[in-house]
């Protein structure tokens, strides 16, 4: 692939290296070939610590010695830098993009060769023959919506031909030109794939003589090709005998250092630990050194003497073997970008003698320590799944907290079957037992939630028995992992080694010289989740990435645009809505609910702000009464709790869930923010700015759990326990010259940045992507670019506002936020002598959100820019 890229004119990106990976000025072989884990809730500067190549960064594109990556070639998205690539706008494509582009001599559009698993038709170029127009339009829309391309005529780049009979001109072209590797197949394959939202095996649907037409498979009934990849140990992983790994024939882990989670270390006997070290050594790896004075291992060790972590040197660790998504070791390894996998993953790696990303399979990544609510009542049995697939599903069932039974009885709540036939299936229909395929249990595990069985992709069964071979293809949702990784919480978690990461001093002299010469006049101090001063805000959102989007009325082919009939596109869209009901995922339902609630509160605040101005007491009373009416009419209003600077114990989290509450990471849906002191975290700033989140101390959580009811913080209710639950932090309020209570009252009356456009220049810190959710929840719009006409209009409107006598308490329509490094851009904000916009540092936003007012004197970089 590298040779093909260079032959086509591409240039290899500069490899990022660190001192330990370089010997005599050259990259060591081990460093090049090692896998990376994923960064979860890491500090922003950690991206440069883990990435193996240089990503684009603002203001540094002109450094000619550094080739910054524009494309990453990967079969999937399970590599450490993927999230950073998305944020930096780097294309992540499969190798097919390279091959097809070079074969055609034109650069294909990257989105048709996406490495994302949800783009199930990625890389496919489809045409059809001898099909009704309506069916063809449905297929066109389906293929385009899920990452593929469509051709009306047979072309050299077509990969799949859809047809019902092996005849016709298009089929003859495919038959006579085997070098084109065109796969002729039945449309049934698309039907099965769309109903399951997962590609089924191609072989039963391929011409000539597709087995589908005979109603049976010609090879091993649907085979167990996945057995090697799904293999699980036969005994409990916490028993010493379970760590008898297969003897490797090659040193496939050469150069890796493996750490064992502290709880696993203490659960192993001395002999089991020694045998584990021996097997790792035979594979070329070494066990991480234990801290001195850790004490003896084994099940008889006293829990009172257990160390928080037994790992002596985290810098040398490459892999952490861990069972649960909890504890110091898991949090530390996740935030440092180490590979984090279970013993099941390690066992499978020794069987295949190859390392893979643990996030590719559910059981290969640590399981949450908190049980799934309601799953303990589920009794599940399995039918028509065999071999390793069956063992894999049993592991998922027990990990979720449900009970597995080998036999079927009236006590069973669910039957997981690969085929709607047999004695168990007949009994399930008679006893009203839920019948589902394996995707239900896999997605319950993936989302760690008891999902309804009503969605069509859980109750669909293909005409051929192909489901057994599809077990285990569901992966971990990386965006969700931050909910399980502890944020930095003081010296025991957020150590200096987490933050003092290697910079780019050898390749980015511009940034270093700017710091030395004092060009940056002011440092941005924003507290992270641990309360330590940092230069960025921790992003606490946990939104899932958007799914595949349906195509518009234009198709992109080889970078060019050609139009289709609008009527045909509308008809295809209508038909697709009927056929692809399974595409309405659970995340979409959740997003709609959250969006409705957010818009409802948003419109209420906006209407109040746009109405005739009343005096402050009347407005406050109106808002309070309105909220009281809303809450009194909604007794089932969910309690969604968000933590910053503190965290609930596992037992407290379970109690919160049992009382109908939910622990969330998104300030847009939270009802309560729990903290013990005021720190400028993104969660705190968004909670203040939204005006509808109750900011309470841990006393509120513990008193609510003790009372078995949620203590109301609304003065209308007059709850006697409410006074003890407020956050009192006079030191922070004095430091930033504000009152938390007054700021929340101001936010409830009117959003701070209602109707304001905030223009952030490229090198401002924090970056636009970090500040954007904060600006938007405050009612503003965050931009880093405007067309000339809109910019002139906003400047003129802002100048008129500034000239008013009452300007001191009013925010102009345009707020310019910049830094000294971008001073060359300041001239664009003063088109004439009488039109001069004040230019502020980002501190004006952070302090302004806390105070819920923007003061003209706050952190101005100068009107005379």
């Amino acid at each position: 692939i590298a040779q093909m890229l260079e032959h086509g004119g591409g240039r290899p990106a500069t490899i990022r290296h660190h001192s330990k990976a370089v010997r005599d000025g050259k990259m060591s072989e081990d460093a090049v070939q090692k896998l990376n884990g994923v960064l979860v809730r890491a500090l922003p500067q950690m991206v440069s610590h883990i990435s193996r190549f240089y990503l684009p960064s603002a203001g540094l594109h002109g450094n000619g010695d550094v080739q910054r990556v524009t494309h990453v070639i990967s079969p999937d998205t399970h590599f450490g830098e993927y999230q950073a690539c998305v944020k930096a706008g780097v294309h992540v494509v499969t190798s097919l993009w390279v091959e097809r582009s070079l074969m055609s001599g034109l650069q294909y559009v990257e989105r048709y060769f996406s490495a994302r698993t949800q783009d199930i038709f990625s890389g496919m170029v489809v045409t059809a023959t001898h099909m009704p127009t309506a069916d063809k339009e449905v297929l066109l829309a389906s293929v385009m919506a899920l990452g593929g391309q469509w051709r009306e005529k047979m072309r050299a780049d077509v990969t799949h031909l859809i047809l019902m009979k092996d005849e016709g001109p298009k089929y003859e072209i495919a038959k006579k030109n085997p070098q084109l590797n065109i796969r002729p197949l039945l449309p049934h394959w698309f039907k099965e794939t769309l109903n399951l939202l997962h590609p089924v095996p191609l072989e039963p649907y391929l011409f000539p003589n597709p087995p589908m037409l005979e109603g049976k498979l010609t090879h091993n009934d649907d085979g167990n090709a996945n057995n090697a990849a799904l293999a699980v140990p036969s005994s409990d992983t916490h028993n010493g005998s379970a760590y008898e790994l297969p003897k490797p024939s090659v040193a496939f882990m050469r150069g890796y250092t493996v750490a064992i989670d502290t709880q696993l270390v203490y659960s192993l006997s001395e002999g089991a630990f020694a045998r584990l070290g021996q097997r790792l050594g035979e594979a070329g790896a070494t066990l991480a050194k234990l801290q001195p004075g850790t004490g003896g291992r084994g099940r008889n060790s006293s829990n009172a003497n257990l160390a928080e972590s037994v790992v002596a040197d985290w810098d040398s660790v490459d892999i952490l073997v861990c069972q649960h998504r909890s504890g110091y070791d898991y949090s530390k390894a996740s935030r440092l970008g180490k590979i984090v996998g279970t013993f099941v993953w390690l066992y499978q790696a020794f069987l295949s003698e190859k390392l893979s990303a643990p996030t590719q399979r559910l059981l290969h990544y640590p399981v949450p320590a908190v049980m799934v609510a309601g799953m303990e009542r589920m009794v599940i049995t399995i039918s028509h799944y065999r071999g390793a697939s069956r063992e894999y599903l049993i592991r998922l069932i027990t990990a979720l907290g449900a009970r597995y039974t080998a036999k079927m009885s009236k006590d069973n709540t669910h039957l997981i079957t690969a085929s709607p036939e047999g004695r168990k299936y007949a009994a399930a229909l008679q006893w009203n037992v839920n019948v589902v395929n394996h995707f239900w249990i896999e997605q319950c595990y993936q989302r760690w939630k008891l999902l309804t069985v009503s969605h069509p992709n859980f109750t669909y069964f293909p005409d051929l028995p192909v489901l057994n071979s599809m077990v285990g293809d569901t992966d971990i949702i990386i965006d969700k992992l931050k909910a399980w990784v502890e944020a930095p919480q003081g010296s025991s978690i957020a150590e200096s080694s987490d933050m003092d990461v290697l910079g780019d001093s050898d390749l980015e002299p511009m940034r270093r010289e700017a710091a030395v010469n004092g060009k940056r006049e002011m440092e941005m101090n924003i507290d992270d989740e641990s309360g330590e001063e940092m230069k960025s805000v921790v992003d606490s959102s946990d939104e899932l990435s958007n799914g595949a989007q349906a195509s518009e009325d234009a198709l992109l082919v080889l970078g060019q645009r050609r139009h289709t009939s609008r009527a045909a596109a509308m008809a295809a869209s209508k038909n697709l809505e009927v056929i692809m009901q399974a595409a309405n995922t659970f995340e979409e339902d959740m997003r709609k609910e959250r969006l409705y609630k957010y818009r409802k509160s948003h419109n209420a605040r906006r209407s109040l702000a746009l109405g005739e101005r009343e005096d402050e007491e009347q407005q406050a009373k109106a808002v309070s009464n309105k909220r009281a009416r809303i809450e009194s009419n909604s007794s089932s209003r969910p309690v969604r709790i968000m933590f910053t600077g503190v965290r609930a114990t596992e037992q407290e989290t379970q109690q919160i869930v049992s009382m109908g509450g939910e622990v969330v990471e998104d300030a847009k849906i939270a009802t309560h923010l729990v903290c013990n002191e005021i720190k400028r975290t993104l969660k705190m700033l968004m909670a203040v700015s939204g005006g509808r989140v109750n900011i309470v101390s841990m006393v509120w959580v513990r008193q609510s759990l003790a009372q078995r009811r949620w203590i109301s913080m609304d003065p209308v209710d007059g709850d006697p326990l409410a006074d003890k639950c407020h956050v009192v932090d006079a030191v922070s309020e004095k430091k930033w010259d504000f009152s938390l209570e007054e700021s929340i009252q101001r936010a409830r009356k009117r959003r701070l940045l209602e109707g304001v456009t905030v223009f952030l220049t490229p090198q401002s810190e924090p970056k636009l992507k970090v500040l954007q959710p904060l600006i938007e929840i405050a009612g503003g719009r965050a931009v880093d670019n405007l067309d000339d006409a809109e910019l002139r209009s906003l400047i003129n409107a802002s100048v008129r506002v500034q000239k008013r006598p009452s300007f001191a308490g009013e925010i102009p329509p345009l707020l310019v936020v910049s830094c000294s490094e971008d001073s060359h851009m300041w001239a664009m904000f003063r088109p004439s002598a009488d039109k001069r916009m004040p230019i502020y540092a980002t501190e004006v936003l952070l302090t302004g959100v806390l105070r819920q007012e923007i003061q003209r004197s706050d952190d101005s970089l100068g009107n005379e820019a």
Side-chain angles (χ1 to χ4, degrees):
I1 294 173
Q3 290 176 354
M4 292 170 66
L5 284 165
E6 294 186 30
H7 178 74
R11 292 176 294 176
T14 302
I15 297 296
R16 185 184 295 276
H17 60 79
H18 307 296
S19 57
K20 291 185 178 181
V22 179
R23 298 169 187 163
D24 301 326
K26 297 182 179 180
M27 178 74 74
S28 68
E29 184 179 355
D30 290 341
V32 174
Q33 296 183 349
K34 284 184 180 179
L35 295 177
N36 280 349
V38 295
L39 283 170
V40 183
R41 296 196 75 159
L43 306 181
Q45 57 265 45
M46 292 301 297
V47 173
S48 63
H49 180 66
I50 185 176
S51 61
R52 293 160 289 187
F53 39 75
Y54 277 82
L55 294 164
S57 55
L60 295 172
H61 298 283
N63 192 345
D65 296 333
V66 180
Q67 299 297 335
R68 298 182 181 276
V69 68
T70 61
H71 292 75
V72 174
I73 316 300
S74 175
D76 53 51
T77 60
H78 293 277
F79 57 94
E81 301 87 352
Y82 176 69
Q83 297 296 326
C85 287
V86 172
K87 293 179 181 178
V90 173
H91 298 290
V92 179
V93 294
T94 64
S95 59
L96 286 174
W97 176 77
V98 181
E99 298 172 12
R100 304 278 172 76
S101 296
L102 291 177
M103 287 175 61
S104 65
L106 295 172
Q107 183 173 319
Y108 273 85
V109 178
E110 288 87 351
R111 71 184 179 93
Y112 293 123
F113 296 89
S114 166
R116 303 189 313 162
T117 55
Q118 55 264 52
D119 295 326
I120 56 180
F121 297 137
S122 174
M124 294 180 61
V125 183
V126 182
T127 190
T129 184
H130 296 159
M131 291 191 66
T133 301
D135 293 344
K136 189 183 297 184
E137 289 173 352
V138 171
L139 281 172
L140 181 153
S142 304
V143 170
M144 296 291 291
L146 295 174
Q149 299 177 77
W150 182 271
R151 301 284 185 268
E152 192 62 36
K153 297 181 179 180
M154 178 66 82
R155 294 186 180 181
D157 63 343
V158 167
T159 61
H160 294 77
L161 170 63
I162 308 173
L163 68 166
M164 289 297 297
K165 295 182 179 180
D166 51 353
E167 59 185 33
K170 288 185 178 180
Y171 180 73
E172 291 300 320
I173 292 175
K175 185 178 178 181
K176 293 178 180 179
N177 296 275
Q179 73 278 7
L180 297 177
N181 197 27
I182 300 173
R183 315 295 297 276
L185 74 160
L186 290 166
H188 302 68
W189 180 84
F190 286 91
K191 183 196 75 169
E192 310 288 30
T193 294
L194 290 173
N195 279 315
L196 293 171
L197 277 184
H198 193 287
V200 300
L202 273 173
E203 288 73 16
Y205 307 92
L206 288 175
F207 285 94
N209 304 319
M212 171 66 200
L213 295 180
E214 299 179 8
K216 63 180 181 179
L217 296 179
T218 57
H219 61 282
N220 195 26
D221 192 28
D222 92 312
N224 270 328
N226 258 4
N227 274 358
L230 296 180
V232 295
S234 58
S235 57
D236 188 352
T237 58
H238 283 274
N239 294 332
S241 60
Y243 288 87
E244 295 294 341
L245 298 172
K247 184 178 177 63
S249 59
V250 295
F252 68 96
M253 296 182 69
R254 181 168 60 89
Y256 285 88
T257 300
V258 181
I260 309 299
D261 175 71
T262 301
Q263 293 299 322
L264 287 177
V265 168
Y266 280 105
S267 69
L268 288 172
S269 65
E270 292 285 351
F273 189 81
R275 291 193 297 274
L276 177 59
Q278 179 184 347
R279 282 287 184 261
L280 288 171
E282 293 168 348
T286 57
L287 271 174
K289 293 181 180 179
L290 302 183
Q291 290 194 29
T294 298
R297 291 181 301 276
R299 289 181 292 278
N300 296 326
S301 298
S302 172
N303 288 333
N305 298 324
L306 296 185
E308 188 175 38
S309 176
V310 297
V311 179
D313 180 16
W314 277 99
D315 288 340
S316 64
V317 171
D318 300 304
I319 297 171
L320 173 70
V321 178
C322 180
Q323 289 304 116
H324 294 101
R325 300 180 200 175
S326 62
Y328 177 91
D329 290 336
Y330 172 75
S331 178
K332 180 90 171 182
S334 299
R335 290 183 295 106
L336 290 177
K338 308 296 184 181
I339 299 173
V340 181
T342 61
F343 178 73
V344 175
W345 168 77
L346 188 64
Y347 181 84
Q348 188 275 328
F350 269 77
L351 283 180
S352 62
E353 296 187 340
K354 180 181 179 181
L355 287 180
S356 60
T359 50
Q360 288 182 300
R361 297 189 186 277
L362 300 176
L363 287 179
H364 289 182
Y365 193 82
V367 62
V370 179
M371 289 290 101
V372 175
M375 192 61 79
E376 71 280 357
R377 300 190 301 271
M378 303 299 109
V379 183
I380 305 171
T381 189
I382 298 175
S383 177
H384 294 291
Y385 287 97
R386 299 173 303 283
S389 297
R390 185 183 187 88
E391 293 300 320
Y392 188 87
L393 294 177
I394 293 173
R395 284 292 184 103
L396 291 181
I397 292 169
T398 55
L400 283 164
R403 181 161 64 94
Y404 166 74
T405 62
K407 296 182 179 181
M408 182 85 170
S409 71
K410 292 183 178 180
D411 293 334
N412 283 95
T413 59
H414 293 76
L415 167 65
I416 300 176
T417 181
S419 180
E421 58 185 7
R423 295 176 60 188
K424 284 187 177 181
Y425 177 75
L429 296 180
Q430 181 180 353
W431 297 335
N432 200 27
V433 174
N434 294 306
V435 180
V436 292
N437 58 40
H438 71 274
F439 288 111
W440 173 76
I441 195 70
E442 288 190 341
Q443 292 192 31
C444 284
Y445 189 103
Q446 185 190 54
R447 293 162 175 78
W448 207 246
K449 182 179 180 180
L450 178 57
L451 301 177
T452 176
V453 299
S454 62
H455 284 263
N457 54 319
F458 296 157
T459 55
Y460 182 79
F461 299 94
D463 295 329
L464 293 180
V466 295
L467 287 177
N468 192 73
S469 63
M470 299 169 67
V471 173
D473 288 343
T474 304
D475 57 4
I476 294 290
I477 301 176
I478 294 176
D479 287 344
K480 283 285 193 181
L481 295 184
K482 63 181 69 175
W484 306 103
V485 175
E486 298 171 351
Q489 301 286 342
S491 59
S492 64
I493 295 293
E495 298 166 332
S496 60
S497 62
D498 289 6
M499 294 184 289
D500 297 335
V501 298
L502 297 173
D504 298 335
S505 58
D506 54 339
L507 292 174
E508 297 181 4
M510 295 168 57
R511 178 176 293 176
R512 187 175 68 257
E513 290 173 5
V516 172
N517 295 333
K519 291 182 180 179
R520 190 177 186 93
E521 296 177 0
M522 122 174 247
E523 292 291 336
M524 306 301 120
N525 291 323
I526 308 167
D527 299 332
D528 76 336
E529 299 295 324
S530 66
E532 299 175 48
E533 298 291 334
M534 294 170 50
K535 295 184 181 179
S536 62
V537 176
V538 175
D539 183 4
S540 62
S541 65
D542 188 26
E543 294 297 322
L544 295 179
S545 58
N546 291 332
Q549 299 296 320
S551 63
E552 300 176 355
D553 296 335
L555 308 180
L556 292 176
V557 182
L558 297 176
Q560 300 177 352
R561 191 177 291 271
R562 69 181 176 91
H563 296 273
T564 61
S565 163
R566 179 154 185 92
M570 293 177 64
S573 177
K574 184 177 181 180
N575 290 333
L576 181 63
E577 183 179 358
V578 177
I579 289 181
M580 295 185 60
Q581 294 181 11
N584 297 323
T585 61
F586 303 102
E587 285 76 20
E588 184 63 27
D589 295 337
M590 293 169 63
R591 279 197 295 270
K592 287 180 180 178
E593 179 186 357
R594 293 172 182 174
L595 186 61
Y596 168 77
K597 293 182 178 178
Y598 177 71
R599 283 178 175 171
K600 186 176 180 181
S601 60
H602 165 76
N603 292 335
R605 286 193 295 271
R606 191 170 187 273
S607 298
L608 182 64
L610 296 178
E612 295 184 359
R613 293 185 177 275
E614 304 172 359
D615 59 49
E616 290 189 2
E617 291 183 1
Q618 289 176 331
Q619 280 193 341
K621 184 177 180 181
V623 174
S624 178
N625 291 340
K626 185 172 183 178
R627 190 177 65 182
R629 288 195 303 272
I630 293 173
E631 292 185 353
S632 63
N633 293 332
S634 179
S635 58
S636 60
R637 183 189 180 200
V639 172
R640 296 189 174 103
I641 306 171
M642 184 170 60
F643 293 88
T644 182
V646 294
R647 62 181 183 273
T649 64
E650 292 181 8
Q651 183 179 2
E652 288 171 339
T653 302
Q654 291 176 358
Q655 288 181 279
I656 290 171
V657 173
S658 68
M659 286 175 58
E662 184 180 356
V663 177
V664 299
E665 295 291 324
D666 189 352
K668 294 180 181 179
I669 64 171
T671 59
H672 294 76
L673 174 68
V674 180
C675 61
N676 284 337
E677 56 183 345
I678 300 171
K679 293 292 184 181
R680 292 196 307 187
T681 64
L682 182 60
K683 292 178 182 177
M684 173 66 75
L685 294 176
M686 291 184 70
V688 171
S689 197
R692 66 179 187 84
V693 179
N694 295 291
I695 301 177
V696 295
S697 67
M698 277 298 292
V699 174
W700 178 83
V701 175
R702 287 163 185 158
Q703 287 288 345
S704 296
L705 297 180
Q707 298 287 326
R708 297 298 297 173
R709 67 177 178 87
W710 301 116
I711 297 172
S712 174
M713 299 302 294
D714 195 325
V716 175
D717 296 335
D719 196 310
L721 297 176
D723 290 340
K724 299 179 182 180
C725 302
H726 291 289
V727 176
V728 179
D729 189 354
V731 174
S732 296
E733 290 186 336
K734 181 178 179 181
K735 175 181 177 181
W736 288 302
D737 188 23
F738 85 110
S739 166
L740 179 61
E741 184 178 355
E742 292 177 3
S743 294
I744 294 175
Q745 291 298 329
R746 291 192 186 109
R748 287 176 178 172
K749 294 174 188 175
R750 187 180 190 275
R751 295 197 292 174
L752 177 67
L753 299 176
E754 188 76 55
V756 176
T757 297
V758 182
F759 191 114
L760 291 103
T761 59
Q763 297 193 66
S764 301
E765 291 288 348
K767 299 296 184 185
L768 171 66
K769 289 185 178 180
V770 177
L771 290 177
Q772 187 169 8
L774 177 60
I775 293 170
E776 289 178 350
I777 202 172
R781 176 176 65 134
V783 299
D784 58 3
N785 189 26
L786 288 171
D787 60 64
D788 293 340
E790 185 176 6
L791 180 61
R792 284 196 302 270
S793 176
L794 286 172
I795 290 176
N796 292 336
S798 299
V799 169
R800 288 195 296 270
V801 171
Q802 293 173 38
K803 290 181 178 179
R804 295 176 187 169
S806 61
F807 170 55
E810 190 172 355
I811 304 175
L814 179 64
L815 188 66
V816 181
V817 176
S818 184
C819 59
S820 56
E821 286 88 343
D822 291 328
S823 58
H824 61 280
M825 299 177 61
W826 293 355
M828 64 189 290
F829 303 112
R830 54 166 198 171
S832 62
D834 61 337
K835 296 178 180 179
R836 309 177 69 86
M837 292 295 301
I839 298 174
Y840 298 95
T842 48
E843 185 69 21
V844 73
L845 288 174
L846 308 173
T847 304
V849 167
L850 273 183
R851 298 173 180 170
Q852 282 298 294
E853 60 180 355
I854 301 291
Q855 298 181 2
R856 294 183 64 182
S857 59
D858 280 355
D859 303 292
S860 175
L861 294 178
N863 285 327
E864 306 301 324

